[in-house]
């Protein structure tokens, strides 16, 4: 029986593992279906993690030492996909791909989320090299430069507003002539002089070379006219898919309380509605979707696990 099963080996899962093992738990296993590190390993650079400031290092380099540090303190890693986490009596049953089952006293689920792609040419090629899904992460790289934003919902317009305080101009490309965002958000955006709304339009292509994104082509869906913007960053905000499938039971129902967007409802201790089950990082409600906050969540969840196990003894 594991003291704690951690599902997902991104910043949240690794930090949970570090705190759980250094906090005295003997039997902690992190199940990560790939190499540990999470989403940030796709990034060519990270500039906003305090204490790490090296432009020559990628997100992969940044995460390299995390696992080494965690494994040093006794965290075990199984490179396996988790199919399901279920509460069985007082404990949890973790079902792995292939059917193997592992019992655990507690579980911390940190399977993250995946930003949705808009599906235009060049999006995948330049993802993390000029095409971004995070204004907080990458906005500063375009200080005093123009950027293009894709999307028409609240997130897209709020992120456009955030970018407008850093960048020279923000061009918001939306395929319809009306925005889904709340009227207040739209009003705030329309009053900002350096935000320009380009409606009835889509990104036709993101282009560049080995150095990264060089510009975008924008097509008006009514006239088919194409305009080209050079030297722009491209931010795509068309939603997130939360990796929450491990929290569904055999009837496809969630085992803990979730909100309408499929994010796990937790309190400030990362407790879910099920005793002994915690989540951390991008998959929880109101997650800032940053490495530093995912790591913070992981530490909180692990400390709660330690207290929970002590209380049960
Ligand atoms: C290109 C890019 C650039 C970014 N830049 C920055 C930045 O500059 N600064 C910043 O702070 N943040 C940045 N972010 C955001 C940051 O990476 C995330 O907020 C952070 O990684 C979230 O951590 P997490 O541990 O919650 O989830 P993730 O990092 O998503 O990790 C989840 C892990 O769970 C694993 N997993 C999922 N399902 C299963 C399963 N069923 N079984 C086993 N394992 C599973 C996945 O393989 C993954 O490794 C960036 C993200 C991207 C994509």
């Amino acid at each position: 029986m594991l003291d704690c099963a951690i599902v997902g080996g991104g910043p949240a899962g690794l930090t949970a593992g570090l705190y759980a093992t250094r906090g005295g738990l003997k039997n902690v296993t992190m199940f990560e279906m790939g190499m540990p590190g999470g989403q940030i390993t796709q990034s060519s650079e990270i500039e906003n993690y305090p204490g790490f400031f090296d432009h020559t290092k990628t997100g992969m380099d940044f995460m390299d030492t995390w696992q080494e540090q965690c494994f040093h303190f006794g965290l075990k890693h199984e490179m396996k996909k988790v199919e399901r986490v279920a509460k069985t009596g007082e404990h949890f049953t973790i079902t792995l791909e292939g059917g193997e089952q592992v019992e655990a006293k507690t579980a911390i689920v940190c399977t993250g989320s995946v930003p949705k792609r808009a599906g235009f040419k060049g999006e995948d090629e330049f993802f993390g090299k000029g095409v971004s899904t995070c204004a907080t992460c990458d906005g500063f790289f375009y200080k005093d430069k123009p950027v293009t934003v894709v999307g028409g919902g609240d997130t897209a317009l709020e992120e456009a507003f955030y970018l407008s305080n850093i960048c020279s101009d923000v061009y918001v490309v939306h395929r319809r002539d009306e925005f889904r965002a709340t009227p207040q958000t739209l009003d705030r955006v329309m009053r900002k002089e350096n935000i320009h709304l380009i409606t009835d339009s889509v990104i036709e292509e993101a282009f560049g070379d080995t150095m990264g994104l060089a510009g975008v082509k924008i097509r008006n869906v009514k006239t088919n006219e194409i305009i080209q913007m050079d030297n722009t960053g491209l931010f795509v905000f068309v939603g997130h898919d939360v990796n929450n499938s491990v929290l569904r039971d055999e009837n496809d129902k969630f085992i803990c309380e979730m909100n309408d967007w499929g994010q796990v409802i937790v309190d400030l201790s990362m407790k879910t509605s099920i005793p002994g089950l915690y989540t951390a990082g991008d998959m929880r409600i109101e997650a800032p979707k940053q490495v530093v906050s995912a790591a913070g969540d992981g530490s909180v969840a692990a400390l709660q696990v330690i207290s929970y196990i002590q209380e049960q003894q």
Side-chain angles (χ1 to χ4, degrees), residues 7-14 31-49 80-83 110-115 127-128 131-134 136-138 141 243 245-246 280-283 288-295:
V7 185
L14 284 164
F31 299 92
E32 162 57 59
M33 61 185 177
M35 288 303 290
Q39 288 171 62
I40 189 66
T41 57
Q42 298 169 46
S43 179
S44 56
E45 203 166 355
I46 174 162
E47 229 183 28
N48 61 358
Y49 194 87
K80 291 196 175 142
K81 184 178 180 192
V82 171
E83 294 290 354
C110 323
T111 42
S113 65
V114 183
F127 188 71
V131 176
S132 171
T133 50
C134 178
T136 319
C137 311
D138 298 330
F141 295 127
N243 298 327
S245 61
V246 302
D282 276 17
M283 70 178 316
K289 299 196 176 63
Q290 294 291 288
V291 172
V292 72
S293 25

Side-chain angles (χ1 to χ4, degrees), residues 54-129:
D54 185 342
H55 285 293
T56 64
K57 299 245 163 95
T58 63
M60 187 81 88
D61 301 329
F62 169 67
M63 290 310 294
D64 246 9
T65 51
W66 287 46
Q67 36 178 320
E68 195 186 317
Q69 186 179 4
C70 292
F71 299 156
H72 172 81
F73 290 105
L75 176 68
K76 291 177 216 104
H77 169 215
E78 287 211 33
M79 199 189 277
K80 291 196 175 142
K81 184 178 180 192
V82 171
E83 294 290 354
R84 181 171 297 151
V85 174
K87 182 110 192 212
T88 326
E90 293 296 299
H91 301 130
F92 291 88
T93 303
I94 316 297
T95 305
L96 307 177
E97 199 172 41
E100 184 192 344
Q101 293 192 321
V102 180
E103 299 292 309
K105 291 179 191 164
T106 59
I108 306 177
V109 178
C110 323
T111 42
S113 65
V114 183
K116 284 187 187 159
R117 304 282 167 105
F120 52 81
K121 190 176 169 203
E123 186 177 25
D124 290 342
E125 187 181 348
F126 296 108
F127 188 71
K129 297 175 199 145

Side-chain angles (χ1 to χ4, degrees), residues 1-6 26-31 76 78 91-92 94 102-106 309:
M1 166 86 63
L2 297 177
D3 286 325
C4 182
I6 297 170
K26 297 277 177 293
N27 209 355
V28 183
T29 297
M30 181 182 77
F31 299 92
K76 291 177 216 104
E78 287 211 33
H91 301 130
F92 291 88
I94 316 297
V102 180
E103 299 292 309
K105 291 179 191 164
T106 59
I309 291 177

